[in-house]
Amino acid sequence: EPEVTQTPSHQVTQMGQEVILRCVPISNHLYFYWYRQILGQKVEFLVSFYNNEISEKSEIFDDQFSVERPDGSNFTLKIRSTKLEDSAMYFCASSERRGNSPLHFGNGTRLTVT
Amino acid sequence: QQPVQSPQAVILREGEDAVINCSSSKALYSVHWYRQKHGEAPVFLMILLKGGEQKGHEKISASFNEKKQQSSLYLTASQLSYSGTYFCGTDNSGNTPLVFGKGTRLSVIA
C-alpha cells in the first residue's frame, strides 16, 4: 500500500538554526498538510498546500515557517530560525480530495531544539 | 474551532465496551476518527459525512448526529490492540483542513 514517507525521523538542532523537514506524499494525492504534535498533546494544524500554493495556514505558521514543493514528489517544511518551543513531532499528511477523503500521515520527524 | 472530546482517558478490561464522544460548537460537514499508538503516526479509522450516518469497522463503529453537531465512536468487545489515543478531526465546510480534538487515551488491560 502506498505511504507517506518523511525524513529525517529525528532532527536535533540548536536554537536559531534553520531546519528543513522532508516529505514524499502519496503520488496521486493532491492535498498536502503539515501538522505538529508537542509531546503528549493534540495534533495541531500548521498549513495545507494545493496546486502549488498554500491554501490555509494556522496562526502557528508564522513568518518563520515556509513550505515548498520543489519537484513533483517532495514537499518540505522549513523553519528559518528555530526556537525551543518548536520542539515537537512534525507530521506530513496527504489526501486525494478535501472533506470526504482520509488523511494519510507519515511517521513523523521528531524535532528537538536545544 | 477545535472539537471537544470526552472522556479524556478511559481504562477498559479486555472484552468491555467504550464510547468516545466528539462535539463541535459549529456546524459540521464531516468527522474523521484516527487512532494513534505511542510513538507512531495517527492512523485513519473512518469518516462520517453529514447526513447522520453510522459506519462500522470491525468492532469499531461510529455515528454522526448533524443536528447535535457531535459524533460518537463505539468500541465493542475491546481487545488489547485497541489501546492508543483516539482523535476526532472535524471539517466545518468540506473545504477546510481537519482540526483535531485533544484526544482520548484508551488503555485496554488483560
Side-chain angles (χ1 to χ4, degrees):
Chain A
E1 187 180 318
E3 57 182 28
V4 176
T5 56
Q6 288 186 243
T7 54
S9 57
H10 192 186
Q11 174 94 47
V12 181
T13 189
Q14 288 191 325
M15 202 166 51
Q17 295 296 304
E18 175 183 286
V19 293
I20 297 176
L21 310 183
R22 292 185 165 79
C23 168
V24 180
I26 294 174
S27 61
N28 66 332
H29 286 187
L30 300 178
Y31 295 87
F32 314 122
Y33 311 85
W34 285 100
Y35 286 83
R36 79 171 184 192
Q37 185 177 34
I38 295 170
L39 188 63
Q41 298 186 27
K42 66 176 179 173
V43 179
E44 299 177 293
F45 168 72
L46 293 178
V47 65
S48 61
F49 195 84
Y50 170 70
N51 203 25
N52 283 320
E53 59 183 28
I54 291 174
S55 44
E56 290 91 15
K57 57 184 181 178
S58 71
E59 51 197 36
I60 301 169
F61 194 89
D62 61 22
D63 292 344
Q64 294 299 315
F65 291 89
S66 62
V67 289
E68 228 182 11
R69 189 154 161 83
D71 53 44
S73 58
N74 290 286
F75 178 50
T76 61
L77 174 70
K78 183 194 290 186
I79 309 175
R80 228 177 309 277
S81 177
T82 50
K83 301 182 277 239
L84 293 175
E85 54 265 37
D86 293 328
S87 295
M89 182 72 94
Y90 287 80
F91 290 107
C92 173
S94 68
S95 65
E96 282 185 74
R97 301 174 302 277
R98 291 294 279 272
N100 62 352
S101 183
L103 295 187
H104 295 257
F105 285 88
N107 284 328
T109 293
R110 180 172 297 285
L111 178 66
T112 303
V113 183
T114 61
Chain B
Q1 191 82 21
Q2 181 187 328
V4 177
Q5 285 186 237
S6 63
Q8 288 185 325
V10 59
I11 300 174
L12 297 176
R13 292 199 178 277
E14 267 186 300
E16 291 182 338
D17 302 340
V19 180
I20 300 171
N21 299 303
C22 174
S23 64
S24 173
S25 59
K26 295 176 79 172
L28 293 172
Y29 174 84
S30 68
V31 179
H32 298 221
W33 286 97
Y34 293 77
R35 176 171 63 208
Q36 183 181 34
K37 293 190 178 280
H38 183 69
E40 298 180 10
V43 173
F44 170 74
L45 294 176
M46 63 190 79
I47 292 176
L48 298 104
L49 303 178
K50 66 177 185 177
E53 63 181 281
Q54 183 147 356
K55 280 199 155 188
H57 179 82
E58 297 177 344
K59 292 180 185 173
I60 302 174
S61 61
S63 63
F64 180 20
N65 188 318
E66 189 184 337
K67 272 189 181 176
K68 292 186 179 178
Q69 295 166 186
Q70 65 188 37
S71 175
S72 295
L73 185 72
Y74 307 94
L75 301 108
T76 56
S78 58
Q79 305 165 15
L80 294 175
S81 61
Y82 286 4
S83 293
T85 301
Y86 289 78
F87 291 98
C88 69
T90 55
D91 171 8
N92 297 112
S93 70
N95 197 33
T96 50
L98 284 187
V99 177
F100 289 94
K102 289 185 176 181
T104 295
R105 186 188 297 272
L106 178 78
S107 301
V108 181
I109 58 176

